């Protein structure tokens, strides 16, 4: 394995643990989880017959004799499809927490009604996957190379031989684009995209986007820092590459930017700081990675953190670096930040 390849894989591990902010490499492991094999959604998609074709963001066109019924997807993708009335058979990626509850990335899915092929980075039970007789595998992509998220590098060849795959890009694009692409995919799978529920959700997203735009324009002095916490390191994300931060910036939000040198070292994603240097970048609002792989604000005990002006002012809110790509789930993300900016005190 070349050094370049090893670096790429390490960065994938970092992104898995902390998304666009990083938490360090995660140990790969072979594993599985138990779940029943099928379930349903309150919003039913209509059955579609005849050939199925979909061109993904790699430029790959998947053609099948009929619309996929046995769908296996990355957890976040499955959660988005669920919002559109599409039920998958199997998932891989963060699905359940240590106490057995649904992971934040599982959204509204009933996780007891899907087969969990792997709950952590590096886990993917190929035997269970084959047993589902998959018609298609769907995941997101966090790089320009088209690497399927949470499909283990060491076993991808075996996995991808069992069914065609679809990749949706969440790399260096703004949130509306992958939202539309997910809607296109859901429609191809039978979702009624003109239903009142979906139409209303899209309208709420557009309203929330306009609210955030107005809040940012009215309060340009408010600095927003995107952070993620691990035991030894605090990560500060740059506004490029991530679909949420790129969109926030396009709407006018004043995002705190790490140094160009630090960003280059991480492939453009983040800068890692020791807890002693957590105050390097002044911020009025801190948006913190809400995934279960990260330490949440209430559990951070570092004295330097507690002294930050934004923390002392109570101006720390959640950030969702891997949004569930449905309008229903993304509208609240925009409203949350808009409200924080509207009500923020200038403390930096």
């Amino acid at each position: 394995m070349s050094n370049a390849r090893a670096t790429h894989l390490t960065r994938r591990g970092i992104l898995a643990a902390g998304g666009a902010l990083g938490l360090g490499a995660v140990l790969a492991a072979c594993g599985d989880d138990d779940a029943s094999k099928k379930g349903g959604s309150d919003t039913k998609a209509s059955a579609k017959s005849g050939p199925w074709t979909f061109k993904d963001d790699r430029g790959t066109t998947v053609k099948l004799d009929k619309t996929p019924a046995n769908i296996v997807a990355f957890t976040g993708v499955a959660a988005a499809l669920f919002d559109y009335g599409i039920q998958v058979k199997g998932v891989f990626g963060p699905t359940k927490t240590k106490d057995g509850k649904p992971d934040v990335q599982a959204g509204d899915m009933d996780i007891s009604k899907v087969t969990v092929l792997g709950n952590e980075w590096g886990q993917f039970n190929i035997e269970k996957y084959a047993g589902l007789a998959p018609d298609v595998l769907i995941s997101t992509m966090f790089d320009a190379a088209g690497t399927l998220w949470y499909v283990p590098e060491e076993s991808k060849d075996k996995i991808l031989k069992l069914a065609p795959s679809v990749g949706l890009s969440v790399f260096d694009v703004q949130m509306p684009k992958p939202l539309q692409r997910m809607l296109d995919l859901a429609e191809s799978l039978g979702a009624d995209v003109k239903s009142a529920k979906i139409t209303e959700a899209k309208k709420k997203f557009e309203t929330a986007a306009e609210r955030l735009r107005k809040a940012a324009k009215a309060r340009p002095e408010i600095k927003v820092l995107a952070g993620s916490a691990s035991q030894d390191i605090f990560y500060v994300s740059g506004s490029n590459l991530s679909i949420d931060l790129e969109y926030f910036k396009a709407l006018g939000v004043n995002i705190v930017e790490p140094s160009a040198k630090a960003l280059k070292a991480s492939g453009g994603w983040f800068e890692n700081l020791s807890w002693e240097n957590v105050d390097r970048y002044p911020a009025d609002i801190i948006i913190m990675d809400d995934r279960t792989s990260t330490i949440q604000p209430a559990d951070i005990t570092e004295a330097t953190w507690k002294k930050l002006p934004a923390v002392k002012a109570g101006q720390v809110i959640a950030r969702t670096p891997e949004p569930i790509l449905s309008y229903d789930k993304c509208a609240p993300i925009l409203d949350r930040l808009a409200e924080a900016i509207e009500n923020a005190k200038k403390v930096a």
Side-chain angles (χ1 to χ4, degrees):
M1 180 182 293
S2 68
N3 289 336
R5 187 61 170 167
T7 300
H8 171 68
L9 294 179
T10 299
R11 186 154 63 245
R12 274 191 90 212
I14 289 173
L15 295 176
L21 295 171
L23 283 182
V26 178
L27 295 176
C30 294
D32 57 39
D33 260 280
D34 54 353
S36 60
K37 293 189 176 181
K38 58 183 178 180
S41 166
D42 291 337
T43 304
K44 299 292 184 181
S46 61
K48 296 187 70 175
S49 59
W52 181 79
T53 300
F54 187 81
K55 185 176 182 179
D56 74 0
D57 292 339
R58 299 170 298 184
T60 299
T61 300
V62 178
K63 298 181 179 180
L64 299 174
D65 293 337
K66 60 180 181 179
T67 302
N70 296 343
I71 301 170
V72 173
F74 171 68
T75 302
V77 170
L81 292 176
F82 183 87
D83 285 351
Y84 292 131
I86 308 296
Q87 177 68 52
V88 308
K89 291 292 183 71
V91 297
F92 54 95
T95 306
K96 62 173 64 174
T97 59
K98 292 180 180 179
D99 58 5
K101 295 180 180 179
D103 188 275
V104 65
Q105 294 192 63
D108 294 331
M109 281 194 303
D110 182 345
I111 62 173
S112 71
K113 294 182 178 180
V114 293
T115 297
V116 182
L117 304 174
N119 199 57
E120 298 179 7
W121 183 257
Q123 294 181 347
F124 195 110
N125 190 308
I126 300 176
E127 184 177 352
K128 278 190 175 183
Y129 177 57
L132 293 175
D135 293 321
V136 67
L137 179 148
I138 310 171
S139 191
T140 48
M141 302 180 298
F142 277 88
D143 60 26
T147 306
L148 296 173
W149 195 231
Y150 267 81
V151 174
E153 190 74 16
E154 63 274 13
S155 55
K156 69 174 183 179
D157 291 341
K158 293 181 180 179
I159 294 167
L160 298 180
K161 283 180 180 179
L162 296 174
S165 63
V166 167
L168 297 181
S169 178
V170 288
F171 173 74
D172 198 17
V173 292
Q174 295 176 25
M175 189 182 286
K177 184 173 181 178
L179 272 171
Q180 181 61 52
R181 291 293 286 145
M182 185 65 74
L183 188 67
D184 294 341
L185 175 62
E187 182 178 21
S188 78
L189 295 170
D192 179 6
V193 300
K194 295 182 180 179
S195 68
K197 180 180 179 181
I198 294 176
T199 300
E200 182 63 22
K202 189 171 184 179
K203 182 179 179 181
K204 287 182 178 179
F205 176 83
E206 292 167 350
T207 300
E210 184 58 28
R211 179 186 179 184
L212 181 54
R213 187 192 306 275
K214 289 180 178 178
K217 184 176 181 180
R219 304 293 307 278
E221 77 281 7
I222 298 299
K223 296 181 178 180
V224 178
L225 181 146
S228 185
S230 70
Q231 183 174 353
D232 299 316
I233 299 174
F234 183 80
Y235 299 86
V236 179
S237 180
S239 62
N240 292 323
L241 305 185
S242 298
I243 65 171
D244 61 333
L245 300 184
E246 282 204 12
Y247 192 43
F248 296 164
K249 183 173 66 173
L251 291 173
V253 177
N254 185 357
I255 302 289
V256 172
E257 301 287 354
S259 72
K261 182 179 180 180
L263 286 174
K264 184 177 180 180
S266 70
W269 290 98
F270 57 84
E271 177 176 0
N272 55 325
L273 302 175
S274 66
W275 284 103
E276 289 76 13
N277 294 315
V278 74
D279 60 353
R280 176 171 295 176
Y281 299 107
D284 302 291
I285 297 171
I286 301 176
I287 56 176
M288 289 292 289
D289 191 334
D290 66 357
R291 288 169 297 175
T292 51
S293 58
T294 69
I295 299 175
Q296 296 305 300
D299 299 318
I300 299 175
T301 58
E302 299 290 341
T304 48
W305 163 262
K306 294 181 179 180
K307 291 179 181 178
L308 293 177
V311 175
K312 292 173 69 175
Q315 295 179 174
V316 178
I317 65 171
R319 177 200 170 201
T320 306
E322 288 187 63
I324 293 171
L325 293 172
S326 71
Y327 292 102
D328 180 68
K329 294 298 184 294
C330 287
I333 293 172
L334 304 183
D335 275 326
R336 183 171 61 210
L337 181 55
E339 182 179 13
I341 293 174
E342 289 164 356
N343 298 327
K345 298 177 182 177
K346 180 63 183 174
V347 295

